[in-house]
Amino acid sequence: MNSPQRSVAVIGAGTIGLSWASLFAAHGWTVRVSDPRPDLGQAIDDAVSEAAPALIALGVDVETSDLRSRITASASLEEAVDGVSIVQENGPERVDWKRELFAKLESITAGDTILATSSSSIPASEIARDIADGSRIIVGHPYNPPHVLPVVEVVPSEKTSQTTIDRAAEIYASLGREPVILKKEIAGFVGNRLQLALLREAFSLVHAGVVEPEMLDRLMRGSLGLRWAAVGPLAAVRLGGGPGGAKHLMENVGKEMEHIQLGSPTPEAMTDVAATIDEAYGQKDYATAAKDAGRAQIAILTATRKAAA
Ligand SMILES: NC(=O)c1ccc[n+]([C@@H]2O[C@H](COP(=O)([O-])OP(=O)(O)OC[C@H]3O[C@@H](n4cnc5c(N)ncnc54)[C@H](O)[C@@H]3O)[C@@H](O)[C@H]2O)c1
Ligand SMILES: O=C(O)[C@@H](O)[C@@H](O)[C@H](O)[C@@H](O)CO
């Protein structure tokens, strides 16, 4: 019998859910997956085959066969969540759908089961709005793919108990993740708000004909992206100021940029640029592009971890 404390229900087996399932299984957890997709078994097989080499490259001691044997497709939600320590939900990004699911989860799971959503932007308080308790509901927002990118944004609502916060962070850390616990709830959390700000400006610059998508990406990869992967944007501000630090940089460089108005692209412009991006990168099929991106991310992560050791 698998120890009940290392069992997880993964609700929703799409891009994110399958990556979570592989990660939990790679760390010895019993994983039960619930999803109405007709090809669930094959999807799990494919996801494990794809994730295993990445997990091994990142130093996780896992045999692909062992990994796959720890993941089962459940016939129902009730079967999936029976006796698990944590539920990691990865269903459609729709608040109504998540509200309904979490209300059901709260009624059918044990009183100490953590109920986590992978949501990209919906706060736990919105999901728990109509739920009396809500103390077990929390956001555990990963970055795609969770089995490679280490950060999980842990975002409690005011209803979430400290025990839930602590245990969720502890579970994610036990999977080799880097939990970032937010002090306050905000729609979009921190990562996606920052990503949104940067992408809005990037889309605006492409739409205005200032730069082509590939050139903007080359610029980011060879400058800010590289710098931020090494030290993070705020530590970089401090370094940018030299011995005078962030204060010096803001006084001597920041001031001159205060007049700059950033772009605010219309939905139509965003759609146009999305088409331009797909055209620019479409010659490489999605699977190959995703595999290449995974390899590059693992190389950078391995190098930055080695440098920090
Ligand atoms: N894709 C990303 O980059 C990313 C990153 C971080 C977080 N997220 C979040 O993770 C969640 C899932 O995103 P995704 O990209 O994996 O979506 P996806 O569309 O790939 O997967 C969603 C899955 O939910 C399943 N589903 C639908 N109804 C269901 C039900 N009643 N019970 C169980 N499963 C059901 C679908 O069959 C599908 O497999 C969203 O909340 C999203 O915001 C996505
Ligand atoms: O970048 C990520 O993986 C996460 O921030 C996601 O939540 C987000 O939805 C992106 O995929 C899209 O911006």
Side-chain angles (χ1 to χ4, degrees):
M1 166 73 172
N2 289 295
S3 58
Q5 66 267 26
R6 281 158 56 89
S7 57
V8 56
V10 170
I11 313 302
T15 305
I16 296 303
L18 290 170
S19 175
W20 272 123
S22 301
L23 179 69
F24 272 100
H27 286 270
W29 284 61
T30 298
V31 183
R32 294 199 218 110
V33 181
S34 171
D35 189 312
R37 62 186 294 181
D39 63 339
L40 183 55
Q42 186 59 52
I44 295 170
D45 291 348
D46 296 346
V48 163
S49 303
E50 194 181 309
L55 287 157
I56 292 166
L58 286 166
V60 182
D61 178 14
V62 61
E63 285 299 323
T64 306
S65 54
D66 292 348
L67 203 163
R68 180 62 183 88
S69 67
R70 295 191 188 115
I71 306 173
T72 52
S74 295
S76 69
L77 180 67
E78 289 74 6
E79 182 187 287
V81 303
D82 183 30
V84 298
S85 313
I86 182 171
V87 176
Q88 188 70 36
E89 174 272 323
N90 320 276
E93 184 70 346
R94 291 199 335 258
V95 67
D96 58 329
W97 184 88
K98 293 187 188 299
R99 276 185 185 139
E100 189 180 337
L101 175 76
F102 275 80
K104 186 165 186 185
L105 287 172
E106 185 151 278
S107 66
I108 64 172
T109 54
D112 59 353
T113 302
I114 294 170
L115 306 177
T117 175
S118 294
S119 177
S120 296
S121 64
I122 304 170
S125 58
E126 276 300 306
I127 293 170
R129 188 192 66 179
D130 307 327
I131 296 173
D133 183 354
S135 63
R136 296 185 285 134
I137 298 174
I138 195 164
V139 170
H141 169 236
Y143 285 77
N144 184 25
H147 68 274
V148 173
L149 296 185
V151 163
V152 179
E153 264 179 304
V154 179
V155 190
S157 76
E158 290 189 353
K159 292 181 178 177
T160 307
S161 71
Q162 191 59 47
T163 302
T164 297
I165 299 167
D166 296 344
R167 285 184 57 222
E170 185 189 335
I171 287 171
Y172 295 136
S174 76
L175 302 173
R177 299 311 80 190
E178 295 172 12
V180 173
I181 302 173
L182 299 196
K183 295 163 63 179
K184 275 187 192 169
E185 258 198 343
I186 188 167
F189 320 134
V190 170
N192 271 340
R193 292 177 75 91
L194 294 175
Q195 184 166 217
L196 209 50
L198 187 126
L199 288 178
R200 277 189 180 149
E201 185 56 23
F203 273 59
S204 177
L205 290 167
V206 171
H207 192 253
V210 173
V211 68
E212 289 301 324
E214 306 97 303
M215 286 299 110
L216 184 141
D217 284 343
R218 175 186 290 185
L219 185 151
M220 284 300 293
R221 286 198 313 273
S223 62
L224 299 179
L226 194 55
R227 179 190 294 165
W228 291 349
V231 294
L234 300 184
V237 166
R238 188 244 179 186
L239 293 172
K247 185 169 177 298
H248 178 78
L249 185 72
M250 296 323 284
E251 283 166 0
N252 290 276
V253 176
K255 234 175 199 29
E256 194 47 44
M257 293 201 270
E258 281 173 0
H259 69 285
I260 293 175
Q261 293 297 313
L262 297 181
S264 173
T266 63
E268 295 73 24
M270 298 286 275
T271 304
D272 286 352
V273 172
T276 307
I277 293 169
D278 286 340
E279 192 184 332
Y281 286 111
Q283 72 278 16
K284 187 186 279 189
D285 68 276
Y286 168 76
T288 307
K291 208 165 269 162
D292 291 350
R295 259 202 302 277
Q297 286 173 146
I298 289 168
I300 294 165
L301 190 53
T302 305
T304 49
R305 282 176 171 170
K306 194 172 168 195

